[in-house]
Amino acid sequence: AAALQCAKEIAAKPPGAIWGTKQAVNYARDHSVEDSLRQMGWLQGTIWSNRHVQESVAAMKQKRAGDFPALTPLQRFAALG
């Protein structure tokens, strides 16, 4: 029951923030503290300046669940042009 509750809480967060957190944890596992902190700074610069965060703040103020747009699917650079 506790694991299911934890999963529900995570699922209610902005998807970009969850994705970024996973990336930071995976990166930190194989890199120095200095490199990991630098990388986390780059991620936070991206994570905290998007529409998911805006929706999260609006939902919190309105005391409702967030309605987050889906993340754009990842593409390889070669597929872009």
Side-chain angles (χ1 to χ4, degrees), residues 17-69:
I18 300 302
W19 177 86
T21 300
K22 288 179 184 179
Q23 297 304 311
V25 168
N26 285 333
Y27 185 89
R29 181 180 51 205
D30 300 324
H31 294 83
S32 70
V33 171
E34 181 180 354
D35 288 345
S36 298
L37 289 173
R38 184 179 302 113
Q39 193 255 2
M40 189 64 212
W42 296 329
L43 278 173
Q44 286 181 351
T46 302
I47 291 170
W48 298 119
S49 62
N50 64 48
R51 62 186 181 195
H52 288 166
V53 173
Q54 293 171 352
E55 170 58 17
S56 183
V57 171
M60 183 179 61
K61 286 181 178 179
Q62 297 168 10
K63 298 183 181 180
R64 61 175 173 78
D67 182 22
F68 303 107

Side-chain angles (χ1 to χ4, degrees), residues 68-81:
F68 303 107
L71 295 175
T72 304
L74 295 177
Q75 297 180 3
R76 297 198 177 275
F77 283 114
L80 297 176

Side-chain angles (χ1 to χ4, degrees), residues 2-14:
L4 197 52
Q5 180 60 34
C6 181
K8 287 178 182 179
E9 290 177 22
I10 292 170
K13 305 295 183 202

